[in-house]
Amino acid sequence: MWQTCDILNWDMMKWTTSDPKVNLPKMGLDFVITEARKYGLRLILSFVNNYKDFGGRSQYVNWARSSGVQISSDDDFYTNPIVKGYYKNHVERVITRINTINRIAYRDDTTIMAWELMNEPRCQADYSGRTMNNWVQEMASFVKSLDQRHLLEIGMEGFYGDTLVERKQINPGYQVGTDFISNNLVREIDFATIHAYPDQWMPGQNEDSQMAFMQRWMSSHYQDSRTILKKPLVIAEFGKSNKDPNYNINKRDSYIQAVYRNIYMEARNGGTVCGGLVWQVMADRMSSYCDGYEIVLSQSPSTDNIISQQSHAMTTLSHSLRIGPQNVPISRGVEFDHVDQGHHAWVKGHDRRNHHHHRHAHHAHNRKAMH
C-alpha cells in the first residue's frame, strides 16, 4: 500500500504538521489501516515507488535539484546524502505517525505486517548491485532504529547481480542494478521477495518459453532463499496482462495455477516460501485504474475459484505443518500464512503502461491477497 505524499508539495520534507495538504493523504491511510484491522487483513506498506507514479524516487531527486544540489541522474537517489535525508524524513514521518482514528502509532500497529523500502528498486548507474546494497544497508538500519516490531523487506523483483555470476543467466537477458543475493543478505532484511512477469520481461517469446522461464525463476530463488539467504521468500507480484498478444482468460488462469502450485509444493516440502501476491485484485467500478493485470472477481468466476481454492489449501497446509508433516495434504493451490489466521493484503499503486517498467495502475485502492 502506498503511503507516499511525494506529488503533493515540498512541505512534506520540511516536517511541517499544520499544512492540511500534507496531513490529508495520511488521514486516508489512517482510515485504510483501521478498516484493514476491522476485517483481519495484514498489510505490507511500501515507502516509495521506483517509478514516477505518485512522485517516486525521481521526485526526491527533483526536490534536491530545485534546491541547488548538483544532481547527475535519478540514480543519485541512492547516493546523494541530501536526497537520502529526504527519504529518511519521509520514512520517519510514516513509522512514527499516530493514527488519527484508532490512536495507535503505526510502528505499534499489528495490522501492518511489514514495511517495504521501495517498490521494484532499480539502478542503471551500477548494474552490479553494490550501490543498491549500500543503500539497502543504510535504509534498513534506519528503519529498524525506529521500529523493531515489524518485518522489513526491500521490494525487489529478484534480478541477480555480481555476487553469483553463474546466477545471472537466470535473469531474463538483462540486469537492473539489484543483486538478489547480497541485497537480501543484509541482516536487517527479514524476508526476500521476487516478482514474476515473463510476459513483460520476455514479450517476444511464446507461452511455453515464458512458462519455462517462470519455473526456472522460481526454482532458483527457492533454492537460494533456503540455502544461502536462509530467509522466507514471498512471490510478491505475479500476473498476466490482458493486453498480451493472443491473451485469453484460460491462459491467465493457467499461469496463476502454475505459480500457485509451485508455491504450495515448495512450502509443503519444507521450503522457505511463504506465499504469493497476485497482481491485482480490484473491485467493481474501478475501470479507470485498470492496467491490464486487473482481476475483478465478480467478472472472473474461474479466477475467483482458483484464488479461493489456493487460499483454503494453504490455510490447511499451514495448520497441518503445525501439527506435523505426516498430516500434510497434497493439493493444487495455496494460501500459506506464517503470521496468523488472518488474510494479507498488499495495496500498491504504480503504472507499468510504458515499456516493461510501468505495469501497475496509479492508485491506492487495488489489493493483493497473500496465498
Side-chain angles (χ1 to χ4, degrees):
M1 174 181 302
W2 294 119
Q3 68 286 326
T4 57
C5 303
D6 305 346
I7 62 173
L8 289 175
N9 66 38
W10 168 248
D11 288 335
M12 163 190 165
M13 290 298 107
K14 296 191 294 186
W15 289 87
T16 61
T17 58
S18 59
D19 190 334
K21 295 192 294 296
V22 175
N23 285 320
L24 183 59
K26 293 294 193 298
M27 292 174 67
L29 184 58
D30 291 348
F31 173 78
V32 171
I33 293 174
T34 303
E35 288 296 293
R37 186 182 187 89
K38 183 189 304 183
Y39 291 100
L41 299 173
R42 296 294 180 267
L43 308 176
I44 299 176
L45 302 187
S46 184
F47 290 123
V48 71
N49 196 4
N50 177 52
Y51 312 111
K52 293 182 179 180
D53 311 278
F54 296 102
R57 65 182 171 99
S58 64
Q59 181 62 75
Y60 292 80
V61 173
N62 289 337
W63 277 327
R65 186 181 288 114
S66 299
S67 298
V69 179
Q70 292 296 314
I71 297 293
S72 58
S73 75
D74 285 355
D75 285 333
D76 285 2
F77 177 90
Y78 301 111
T79 57
N80 185 281
I82 293 176
V83 178
K84 290 191 292 183
Y86 295 163
Y87 174 82
K88 288 180 178 179
N89 286 351
H90 167 62
V91 168
E92 185 166 354
R93 284 184 64 122
V94 172
I95 291 177
T96 61
R97 179 174 176 81
I98 306 296
N99 191 309
T100 58
I101 299 174
N102 62 27
R103 308 308 303 172
I104 301 174
Y106 282 18
R107 61 183 167 190
D108 296 327
D109 197 329
T110 56
T111 303
I112 300 170
M113 184 184 102
W115 303 111
E116 178 180 277
L117 292 181
M118 179 189 294
N119 173 64
E120 297 188 347
R122 294 185 171 192
C123 180
Q124 294 182 338
D126 179 8
Y127 286 125
S128 72
R130 286 185 287 272
T131 295
M132 187 67 66
N133 211 64
N134 291 335
W135 182 83
V136 169
Q137 179 64 76
E138 180 177 352
M139 298 309 167
S141 297
F142 181 73
V143 170
K144 289 296 187 178
S145 74
L146 299 171
D147 177 8
Q148 296 186 7
R149 298 191 63 181
H150 288 98
L151 300 173
L152 178 64
E153 48 101 350
I154 302 170
M156 287 176 51
E157 300 160 275
F159 286 79
Y160 289 99
D162 287 359
T163 299
L164 293 178
V165 176
E166 64 274 16
R167 278 299 198 220
K168 291 196 286 187
Q169 65 182 343
I170 302 295
N171 291 339
Y174 55 91
Q175 294 174 244
V176 299
T178 60
D179 187 323
F180 177 77
I181 301 297
S182 65
N183 298 165
N184 282 300
L185 279 173
V186 171
R187 182 174 60 85
E188 290 81 1
I189 298 302
D190 296 302
F191 65 94
T193 65
I194 63 171
H195 297 178
Y197 291 108
D199 61 337
Q200 291 290 336
W201 298 343
M202 309 165 65
Q205 300 199 25
N206 60 34
E207 293 285 331
D208 290 342
S209 296
Q210 291 181 7
M211 190 70 78
F213 167 82
M214 181 274 291
Q215 299 284 357
R216 292 192 303 272
W217 185 251
M218 296 182 72
S219 176
S220 175
H221 289 87
Y222 290 162
Q223 179 180 344
D224 293 338
S225 64
R226 174 192 274 187
T227 62
I228 300 177
L229 302 180
K230 296 179 172 57
K231 294 181 180 182
L233 174 69
V234 172
I235 316 306
E237 290 188 26
F238 68 96
K240 192 168 186 60
S241 174
N242 59 33
K243 298 179 182 180
D244 293 346
N246 304 314
Y247 167 87
N248 62 61
I249 196 169
N250 291 331
K251 291 181 179 180
R252 184 181 72 183
D253 287 350
S254 294
Y255 180 68
I256 292 174
Q257 280 185 316
V259 174
Y260 276 162
R261 188 179 304 111
N262 281 346
I263 292 171
Y264 181 89
M265 293 309 298
E266 178 67 15
R268 181 180 181 273
N269 293 331
T272 61
V273 65
C274 297
L277 297 155
V278 64
W279 181 265
Q280 59 171 331
V281 175
M282 296 178 63
D284 293 309
R285 298 183 297 278
M286 294 182 66
S287 59
S288 60
Y289 299 117
C290 292
D291 64 353
Y293 288 88
E294 67 277 356
I295 300 173
V296 181
L297 297 179
S298 62
Q299 300 173 10
S300 307
S302 62
T303 311
D304 185 6
N305 184 57
I306 291 169
I307 294 174
S308 179
Q309 288 182 352
Q310 184 85 343
S311 177
H312 287 299
M314 283 297 271
T315 299
T316 301
L317 175 62
S318 179
H319 295 166
S320 299
L321 289 174
R322 292 189 182 107
I323 298 171
Q326 69 275 9
N327 298 296
V328 175
I330 296 177
S331 179
R332 293 171 49 194
V334 302
E335 173 169 11
F336 197 56
D337 183 352
H338 281 314
V339 181
D340 58 22
Q341 301 291 325
H343 299 290
H344 297 73
W346 192 1
V347 186
K348 301 177 65 177
H350 61 279
D351 190 352
R352 192 187 290 265
R353 293 172 299 175
N354 300 319
H355 202 252
H356 62 267
H357 290 171
H358 303 293
R359 178 183 58 263
H360 309 302
H362 47 285
H363 62 93
H365 304 289
N366 46 359
R367 198 185 104 216
K368 295 186 195 177
M370 174 98 74
H371 300 308

